[in-house]
Amino acid sequence: MESEELESYRKAGSIAKKVREWSKSMVKPGAKIFDIAEKIESKIIENGAGLAFPVNVCINDVTAHYTPKYNDALTLSGNDVVSVDLGVHVDGFIADTAYSIDLGGKHGKLLETNKKALELVEGMIKPGVSVKDIGSSVYKLITDAGYKPIENLTGHEVKQYDLHAGMSIPNIPVPYDWKLEEGMVLAIEPFATDGYGRVVESRHANIYGFLESRPVRMPEARLLAKEVEARKKLPFAERWYAKKISPLKIPLAVQELIARNVIKTYPTLHEKEKGVVSQFENTMIVTKDGCEVIT
Ligand code: CO
């Protein structure tokens, strides 16, 4: 890896880590998830970095791809398990990290197990290790504790301006044995649940990604397309553009861009049997004999 690239990853990682730790005190009963997401995003930008994706704030069985809508009124209750997933980029080099907090204190073992699964993978990573062994080890640790990993969500390689690049890192046994290589940058994210262990798509989506430029009619749709094209396919949220485009017009603009295949949706994912889900995630660079956790 070029030293400039390495420095960008390290800078993104250190900002992600700092903002993650700073954000934890905001996750408490009565807090609005809109405020949590917007404050984290402002902090990342204040630190001189970019947003790799909209901050996800997922509650209980909501597992991934939920970011607060514009003026989202949803607040945290005292029994929620809350997962916060944030992504920072420096010149497109991404650091992705997540944590869960158990506000009711009833799911401590689930979260501890999930945290141990992440630490287990961090200890295994080095060149030549098979993703098959990683998946089997995560599965064993989580199921031995009486829980299930989410079988259809994986860790992922990241590359410049590419959040899900190349290799996937499974959390269950898999029939293939792709090997890790020095220089790969991996976002490792085991999810654990007391439910079935699988996510399904909801009909709702509030995270989007740019596909390609095409002619559109509505002026607001044109403006939004121009804004999001500049993100080079990194995901975005509608609420980011509420100062530039009338919030009343944004949903219509989004509909037109989806219909014309200018953007795609990332539907909210929730646990198949409404189990409570936790998530812990770090980003790491595979080194000669191990890995460097950058977050
Ligand atoms: Co993440």
Side-chain angles (χ1 to χ4, degrees), residues 53 85-87 96-98 156 163 187 189 279 281:
F53 52 85
D85 192 342
L86 59 108
D96 183 356
T97 186
H156 48 97
L163 187 55
E189 52 179 339
Q279 176 197 16
E281 177 180 29

